[in-house]
Amino acid sequence: MPVKIIVSSILILGVLVIRSLFQKKVHPIYIYALWLPVAIRLLMPGMPVDSPLSIMHTKVWEKGNTLLEEENDRQKTEYKEKKYQKYLEKVHAEYSQNSDTAKPETVYYELKWQLAGTLFERIGQIAMMIWLAGMVLFSLIFFRQNFFLYRYLHATRKELSGSFGECLKGHIFTAGDKLASPCLFGLFPSVYIPGRTLEGKDKKETLSIILSHELTHRRNLDHIWALVRVLCLIINWYNPLVWIGAKLSLRDGELACDAGCIRRLGEEKRYAYGEVLLSMIKPVRERKGFFFHTVLMASDKKFMKKRLENIAKNKKGSSGVALAMIFLLLFCVGFTCTGRVEKEDRQISGTTQTMEAEIK
């Protein structure tokens, strides 16, 4: 667990640096894709492969790992000598006198259970209990919020009649006005639109823009991303960098959706799209919204201003700059998502290569 915390935090910091360097130079969809290896790292239990590029080959890591192993061994030795020496002698004496008193397997498991008592082990046990309690708490928050939202949407929804194309027929509903904005909800998502949104004069154009926006979210698999984001937060709730990453990935997803939606609608709809977004400004609490399995169209004033600026600038980005960004990302992934190549493996590999060269 400590290894995972360190490497995932370093990867998030690396992505934050890359994001700040390239955000204004590449298409938003590439910035959004930066969070994919972060999600994989947060959900991945160990190191899938070993490589010389791994962080575990750095001198700082090796020194720290050596110190921790030495201290752990010292604690175990001291603990056994002070607390369990007499107990171990008694158990072995009784077993030697009467082999029927206890089976070897029983003695082994008793010792294994009772030897968990060094400082590091106690800290690990307490941390594990706190982590599990946090996971249960945030899981309950997720299920509670989505259950009440599901009940509200299904209680107030009315199917929107008409032909909307591209697999949207039968999955578009109007809902109550408590809904903050149009949204995509569910693992097999439907579009829900607050009734007040369609009360203006340009109802047809507004509806067209909203549906295009939500369809772009679905094409980008943002309803899947919403669930992945929740899983990352539930499992890694203790890490503040994960919360920062969740917030920024949510925003990057909206920027990518805006760019894709304008491409679908056409350049002539750019300013109409901006006007519809402007009408969606709501006091949205992003952190609370992390646990909704939904993709809202609305956002707060500060972020909405950034979205409108991006729409007005029409930035396309450079493929060469995008390649440079991908190269840096791959380096960060190799640094944090690969394990250490053991010295013995490297020596055997080197010996094998030498023998092959001699044979040739």
Side-chain angles (χ1 to χ4, degrees):
M1 181 65 77
V3 173
K4 180 182 175 181
I5 296 172
I6 295 170
V7 296
S8 59
S9 297
I10 292 173
L11 180 58
I12 293 172
L13 290 173
V15 167
L16 291 177
V17 172
I18 294 172
R19 183 179 179 273
S20 64
L21 291 174
F22 293 94
Q23 190 173 22
K24 297 180 180 180
K25 300 175 183 178
V26 299
H27 194 278
I29 194 67
Y30 295 117
I31 298 297
Y32 189 30
L34 289 174
W35 298 107
L36 176 59
V38 174
I40 294 173
R41 175 66 271 178
L42 290 172
L43 299 176
M44 184 170 58
M47 301 294 190
V49 294
D50 299 332
S51 79
L53 189 62
S54 174
I55 187 177
M56 296 182 179
H57 288 297
T58 59
K59 291 184 178 179
V60 174
W61 186 282
E62 290 179 348
K63 183 66 175 177
N65 191 50
T66 301
L67 291 174
L68 286 174
E69 287 180 353
E70 290 175 353
E71 176 61 20
N72 190 38
D73 291 339
R74 187 195 67 79
Q75 287 185 17
K76 285 184 177 181
T77 302
E78 182 179 350
Y79 183 76
K80 291 175 184 178
E81 289 176 353
K82 288 183 178 180
K83 302 293 182 181
Y84 285 97
Q85 189 62 39
K86 292 182 179 179
Y87 173 76
L88 293 174
E89 291 174 357
K90 182 179 177 181
V91 169
H92 286 296
E94 290 180 355
Y95 180 70
S96 61
Q97 291 176 1
N98 186 1
S99 59
D100 296 331
T101 303
K103 295 181 180 180
E105 292 83 6
T106 306
V107 175
Y108 171 76
Y109 284 113
E110 286 178 355
L111 294 178
K112 185 178 180 181
W113 174 256
Q114 295 183 25
L115 287 177
T118 66
L119 176 62
F120 283 177
E121 288 167 342
R122 289 197 298 270
I123 291 173
Q125 292 167 4
I126 294 170
M128 180 64 70
M129 288 187 288
I130 294 173
W131 174 62
L132 291 174
M135 284 184 62
V136 171
L137 174 62
F138 286 110
S139 297
L140 290 174
I141 292 173
F142 168 71
F143 286 112
R144 180 182 180 276
Q145 290 186 182
N146 285 277
F147 174 72
F148 284 112
L149 178 59
Y150 173 84
R151 280 210 318 180
Y152 177 74
L153 292 176
H154 277 252
T156 61
R157 74 180 189 179
K158 294 179 181 178
E159 188 172 346
L160 201 60
S161 59
S163 178
F164 306 104
E166 200 155 351
C167 302
L168 283 174
K169 189 175 181 180
H171 296 279
I172 305 172
F173 304 92
T174 58
D177 289 340
K178 288 184 179 180
L179 187 64
S181 77
C183 72
L184 202 65
F185 179 77
L187 191 59
F188 302 98
S190 298
V191 177
Y192 294 90
I193 305 172
R196 67 176 185 279
T197 307
L198 303 178
E199 292 176 354
K201 295 180 180 179
D202 301 326
K203 175 181 175 180
K204 187 175 181 180
E205 184 177 30
T206 300
L207 180 60
S208 174
I209 289 173
I210 289 172
L211 294 181
S212 179
H213 180 91
E214 300 305 334
L215 182 58
T216 303
H217 269 308
R218 194 176 70 172
R219 280 189 156 195
N220 291 350
L221 301 179
D222 287 331
H223 56 292
I224 305 296
W225 272 107
L227 183 59
V228 171
R229 191 180 297 115
V230 168
L231 290 175
C232 289
L233 288 172
I234 289 175
I235 296 173
N236 305 274
W237 60 267
Y238 51 83
N239 192 338
L241 287 174
V242 177
W243 290 90
I244 294 172
K247 176 181 178 179
L248 295 178
S249 69
L250 188 64
R251 293 187 169 191
D252 291 340
E254 286 300 327
L255 294 175
C257 181
D258 290 342
C261 190
I262 291 171
R263 187 176 66 251
R264 288 171 57 84
L265 291 170
E267 290 297 319
E268 66 277 5
K269 296 285 187 178
R270 179 177 295 275
Y271 293 103
Y273 180 79
E275 289 176 358
V276 172
L277 278 186
L278 199 58
S279 67
M280 300 288 174
I281 293 178
K282 297 290 177 184
V284 177
R285 293 177 61 185
E286 286 179 308
R287 178 160 295 199
K288 184 178 179 182
F290 287 160
F291 289 96
F292 283 117
H293 186 211
T294 183
V295 185
L296 292 173
M297 191 172 180
S299 53
D300 59 21
K301 292 182 179 180
K302 186 176 180 181
F303 181 53
M304 186 62 79
K305 181 181 178 182
K306 183 174 182 179
R307 291 175 69 180
L308 293 173
E309 288 175 351
N310 275 22
I311 292 169
K313 288 177 182 177
N314 187 25
K315 103 183 138 176
K316 296 180 180 179
S318 165
S319 57
V321 176
L323 287 174
M325 184 191 75
I326 293 171
F327 176 80
L328 286 176
L329 179 63
L330 291 175
F331 175 80
C332 289
V333 170
F335 191 61
T336 57
C337 297
T338 57
R340 174 174 179 162
V341 179
E342 297 297 334
K343 290 183 179 180
E344 292 181 0
D345 295 340
R346 283 182 284 176
Q347 289 173 357
I348 293 171
S349 177
T351 304
T352 304
Q353 291 176 1
T354 303
M355 291 175 64
E356 288 178 352
E358 290 176 354
I359 292 171
K360 290 180 180 179

